[in-house]
Amino acid sequence: MSSKESCRSELRIAIRQLSDRCLYTASKWEAEQLVGIEQDPAKFTPSNTRFQRGSSSIRRKYRTHEIAATPIAGVSYVATPVMEEDELVDGDFYLLAKSYFDCREYKRAAHVLRDQTGRKSVFLRCYALYLAGEKRKEEEMIELEGPLGKSDSVNRELVSLERELSMLCKNGTIDPFGLYLYGLVLKQKGSENLARTVLVESVNSYPWNWNAWTELRSLCSTIDILNTVNLNSHWMKDFFLASAYQELRMHNESLSKYEYLLGTFGNSNYIQAQIAKAQYSLREFDQVEALFEELMRSDPYRVEDMDMYSNVLYAKESFSALSYLAHRVFMTDKYRPESCCIIGNYYSLKGQHEKSVMYFRRALKLNKNYLSAWTLMGHEFVEMKNTPAAVDAYRRAVDVDPCDYRAWYGLGQAYEMMGMPFYALHYFQKSVFLQPNDSRLWIAMAQCYETEQLRMLDEAIKCYKRAAACNDREAIALYQLAKLHAELGHPEEAASYYKKDLERMEDEEREGPNMVEALLYLARYYKLQDRFEEAEVYCTRLLDYSGPERETAKSLLRGMRSSQSILPSMDVERFPP
């Protein structure tokens, strides 16, 4: 059997097993990958090419390799047998409990299964109790603090669930799904090391539960922890590593993994969206836009991940495209957090910040841990000059994800607006640590060092140099480096940076006061160095302008010409015949 056929067979069985245990998110993910497996050319027929995108730009852009029996580095994939179902089937009771579960009546589902001993029934009972506790916790948060507030509410089922699941684990009567739930409970109680061990055992025993991989990924907060995780070599491990690399901001490594997976899952919308995410983090906005456009053509009612596409359109100020996207998701499912964020971005681009905040608040009512909404709402409050509200929103974002560099950067901006550069510098440093390749963060930190309270110009220069090395798209770093060196009395360095900045402006065909300043400085610098020919070139260019710089250039040219006429007589006097 080919590797593609093997993957299909495994996924079909896994989808049924996951759905039967009410793990619908994992089941949906597996089904998307099943459809994403490329058909063999010999099997292409009009009836089975519905989902094929053979001419896709993603297929042309990224080199692909089929997942073979012996993948990279010669490591063979472990053949994991698909788990057999229980011999002891609880029949009618299980069907009734599952029906209650699907209707979100979790306590009733758990009650029906109270005397059932099959592994499926034990898992569903414990899972129903866990979700009942989560539901009650959310209700208490709303009752005690309001829809957007903090609360000390906890899942009251965790203690009893931990006791029961740990006993099953010790007795060896727990299955991989029970291990997944046990890891989830341990993670919520703060026992991260034990949770990681339990989840590794779960995915090694049953690698098709994407929910378990997702929880394990959240516990691998550093590359060192990730490298210590002992995982079987299954093709699901490649999906996990690609996702983990992305969370750890190792975007090139993540892209490489997804490129490899395209060999088998060449039509996977999930992989295409993840590649777009990685490119977004690398600020390759044109490529991200092309990927999302293709994704919308192949999956026109998709809402997931489209909020990132709206961020790209916002950054590019593509008003019409963002308007079309907002209308599309509104008509598809307006009560999704992603939809609310897209509409919020649309109103923000129109300058209607109050309305934008309203939609971000709506997104948070739907999902209080929706990171993008907190961060974007903070940006809107900054635009509205409501700094205390912005700080609160950014702090909530940091609570949700301490690794979100945008929230730390927002906090730095807010404290800078309040005239508190020491606090601002602290938050900018945190954002730079998390995203060291973003020139905007280095520039923000440099500007903080330049403030009157700090005046640490040498540190500012170091930051601007890092920004220039990080592909400074806004073309700020070179100009600021030139100005700072001129201020500190370093004419050679200043001239060098002015020249680089001038060359960049010429390449980008940009005009403006920065070009005038660079031409004027270089003209004066070369005149003082007695390099009159080069100075004349810059002065001549200044004559094309109509402001005071034109008169300054004329004065410099007259001075140079008079100096050149005096020089021969000076030489004669110095060296008489």
Side-chain angles (χ1 to χ4, degrees), residues 33-215:
Q33 307 324 308
L34 174 62
V35 171
I37 297 175
E38 281 198 314
Q39 298 288 341
D40 294 327
K43 297 183 180 179
F44 275 178
T45 64
S47 62
N48 67 8
T49 55
R50 178 183 175 191
F51 293 99
Q52 299 305 315
R53 301 196 301 275
S55 61
S56 165
S57 62
I58 189 174
R59 303 278 295 136
R60 293 194 300 271
K61 178 172 177 54
Y62 293 98
R63 186 176 66 257
T64 59
H65 315 277
E66 181 171 336
I67 297 178
T70 306
I72 295 173
V75 178
S76 297
Y77 282 115
V78 173
T80 305
V82 177
M83 186 183 70
E84 295 182 2
E85 297 293 4
D86 294 334
E87 294 180 8
L88 178 61
V89 179
D90 298 321
D92 299 341
F93 288 103
Y94 187 84
L95 291 175
L96 176 60
K98 189 174 183 301
S99 299
Y100 285 147
F101 187 100
D102 291 343
C103 294
R104 294 174 58 85
E105 297 182 67
Y106 302 124
K107 286 283 191 178
R108 291 184 79 185
H111 179 74
V112 167
L113 296 172
R114 66 192 182 282
D115 297 324
Q116 308 306 313
T117 57
R119 291 186 178 184
K120 280 174 61 176
S121 295
V122 170
F123 168 76
L124 188 60
R125 177 173 56 79
C126 292
Y127 191 40
L129 286 172
Y130 171 79
L131 290 181
E134 287 294 296
K135 184 179 177 183
R136 182 58 190 150
K137 182 178 77 172
E138 290 183 5
E139 290 168 354
E140 287 179 355
M141 291 178 67
I142 294 172
E143 291 164 2
L144 297 174
E145 296 289 342
L148 304 181
K150 292 184 177 180
S151 172
D152 295 329
S153 301
V154 295
N155 186 334
R156 297 178 184 177
E157 303 292 339
L158 293 181
V159 175
S160 60
L161 283 172
E162 183 186 14
R163 188 184 309 117
E164 180 176 356
L165 292 168
S166 64
M167 186 63 66
L168 292 173
C169 195
K170 289 175 184 176
N171 295 339
T173 57
I174 194 168
D175 67 357
F177 295 101
L179 287 169
Y180 155 66
L181 183 57
Y182 186 29
L184 198 59
V185 170
L186 289 169
K187 177 191 167 189
Q188 281 217 12
K189 293 201 70 181
S191 304
E192 293 192 356
N193 291 331
L194 183 54
R196 195 181 304 117
T197 303
V198 170
L199 287 168
V200 167
E201 187 179 348
S202 174
V203 297
N204 282 340
S205 302
Y206 187 87
W208 302 280
N209 182 4
W210 183 242
N211 288 2
W213 288 107
T214 304
E215 294 300 330

Side-chain angles (χ1 to χ4, degrees), residues 236-506:
M236 283 290 290
K237 178 183 175 182
D238 289 319
F239 277 102
F240 165 72
L241 289 175
S243 179
Y245 288 150
Q246 200 164 70
E247 289 295 312
L248 294 172
R249 299 171 299 284
M250 299 167 61
H251 303 299
N252 290 319
E253 291 82 353
S254 178
L255 280 172
S256 179
K257 275 289 180 189
Y258 284 124
E259 171 193 341
Y260 176 69
L261 286 164
L262 280 173
T264 295
F265 302 90
N267 297 319
S268 169
N269 287 337
Y270 168 80
I271 293 179
Q272 186 164 348
Q274 297 309 305
I275 288 174
K277 283 184 180 180
Q279 295 285 10
Y280 175 81
S281 298
L282 294 170
R283 296 182 61 74
E284 301 290 346
F285 290 160
D286 291 336
Q287 295 178 28
V288 175
E289 186 175 9
L291 287 168
F292 273 116
E293 284 175 356
E294 184 179 341
L295 198 57
M296 286 178 68
R297 284 193 295 271
S298 63
D299 192 1
Y301 299 103
R302 182 187 184 96
V303 177
E304 186 180 1
D305 302 317
M306 286 297 157
D307 54 331
M308 183 176 293
Y309 181 34
S310 76
N311 291 340
V312 172
L313 296 176
Y314 184 95
K316 297 182 73 174
E317 298 184 0
S318 301
F319 184 84
S320 58
L322 183 53
S323 173
Y324 173 72
L325 178 63
H327 177 75
R328 191 166 184 166
V329 297
F330 181 85
M331 298 303 294
T332 301
D333 188 351
K334 65 180 180 180
Y335 292 118
R336 283 276 293 271
E338 296 93 334
S339 300
C340 294
C341 274
I342 291 167
I343 297 169
N345 271 338
Y346 165 72
Y347 282 115
S348 177
L349 192 59
K350 287 185 70 176
Q352 298 181 22
H353 301 297
E354 293 83 0
K355 207 163 186 178
S356 178
V357 167
M358 181 184 76
Y359 275 96
F360 291 137
R361 286 188 184 277
R362 185 175 295 177
L364 291 166
K365 287 180 181 178
L366 295 166
N367 181 359
K368 61 182 173 53
N369 291 324
Y370 195 59
L371 178 64
S372 293
W374 284 118
T375 307
L376 293 172
M377 190 163 69
H379 295 343
E380 293 308 301
F381 283 130
V382 168
E383 292 292 331
M384 295 162 65
K385 302 294 188 290
N386 188 349
T387 313
V391 169
D392 183 59
Y394 289 133
R395 289 199 181 280
R396 300 292 177 85
V398 168
D399 289 341
V400 174
D401 182 6
C403 294
D404 180 29
Y405 77 93
R406 298 173 304 165
W408 292 114
Y409 173 67
L411 280 169
Q413 281 188 310
Y415 278 102
E416 193 173 36
M417 287 173 62
M418 291 190 289
M420 303 170 72
F422 287 98
Y423 283 95
L425 184 61
H426 170 73
Y427 294 121
F428 285 142
Q429 286 171 340
K430 280 185 171 291
S431 68
V432 161
F433 175 77
L434 293 168
Q435 189 77 359
N437 296 320
D438 194 328
S439 61
R440 298 169 302 169
L441 309 184
W442 289 107
I443 288 170
M445 195 156 70
Q447 290 171 343
C448 204
Y449 279 124
E450 287 184 88
T451 56
E452 289 297 326
Q453 295 98 316
L454 297 181
R455 295 302 293 170
M456 299 170 67
L457 299 186
D458 290 333
E459 295 300 319
I461 286 173
K462 291 177 185 176
C463 292
Y464 282 127
K465 284 182 178 178
R466 287 294 299 268
C470 293
N471 189 20
D472 173 26
R473 295 167 186 259
E474 287 79 14
I476 295 173
L478 291 174
Y479 173 70
Q480 291 299 128
L481 281 167
K483 281 190 67 176
L484 283 175
H485 279 296
E487 185 178 342
L488 292 171
H490 305 150
E492 290 182 8
E493 290 87 346
S496 173
Y497 284 114
Y498 271 125
K499 197 168 185 179
K500 289 178 182 177
D501 192 33
L502 187 61
E503 289 170 356
R504 178 166 180 165
M505 286 187 281
E506 289 169 349

